[in-house]
Amino acid sequence: MSEQDKRAKHHPAVVAHHNSRAGDVQLRVADAITKFAGSMPFVYLHALAFALWMLFIESNPWPTLTLVVSLEAIFLSTFVMIGQNRQAAFQQIKADHDFIEQELELKTNTELTRAIHLMTTELHRRLIEDGAER
């Protein structure tokens, strides 16, 4: 299955959002970091790194490890906010697209309803007139 076939199955707003993010190197890097930071390998790697640090690199009470972990938490919280902003922007794009599509569908349905009403009225008029002439 080609990349185009995979994207064809997605909401048009999803495809447009993906394409806009793929074009920006900074956003791709942020996505990659966020994807890795939200995975179990990230947790396992950190558990192992912290254990090794505490056992072999620094003795109690691990002041340098505390500094490193605090700095990492600051950066990871920034990536969480980037992800939240990205999700909010995507939801807004999708909501705008859905609103436009619903407005178009409502307009089409209204026009169809008017046409059906006109045809029904005309049909009724012709049947009544034909019935009265007989």
Side-chain angles (χ1 to χ4, degrees), residues 27-125:
L27 295 177
R28 286 197 321 256
V29 169
D31 287 343
I33 291 170
T34 304
K35 184 177 179 179
F36 177 65
S39 69
M40 285 310 293
F42 178 84
V43 173
Y44 299 142
L45 177 68
H46 279 75
L48 178 65
F50 294 155
L52 292 174
W53 188 293
M54 289 184 282
L55 291 173
F56 300 111
I57 296 176
E58 197 171 7
S59 61
N60 257 345
W62 310 296
T64 307
L65 178 60
T66 303
L67 174 65
V68 169
V69 170
S70 296
L71 289 173
E72 182 181 38
I74 290 168
F75 283 106
L76 287 177
S77 66
T78 302
F79 285 110
V80 168
M81 287 188 288
I82 289 169
Q84 289 173 338
N85 290 341
R86 180 187 74 216
Q87 187 64 28
F90 169 74
Q91 289 299 329
Q92 186 62 52
I93 290 168
K94 186 174 180 309
D96 291 345
H97 176 272
D98 290 347
F99 178 77
I100 291 167
E101 290 297 315
Q102 287 175 350
E103 287 292 309
L104 180 60
E105 187 173 340
L106 178 62
K107 182 179 176 184
T108 302
N109 286 343
T110 302
E111 290 172 2
L112 287 172
T113 301
R114 285 184 181 142
I116 290 170
H117 177 71
L118 287 173
M119 289 182 352
T120 304
T121 304
E122 180 64 20
L123 182 61
H124 181 72
R125 186 188 61 77

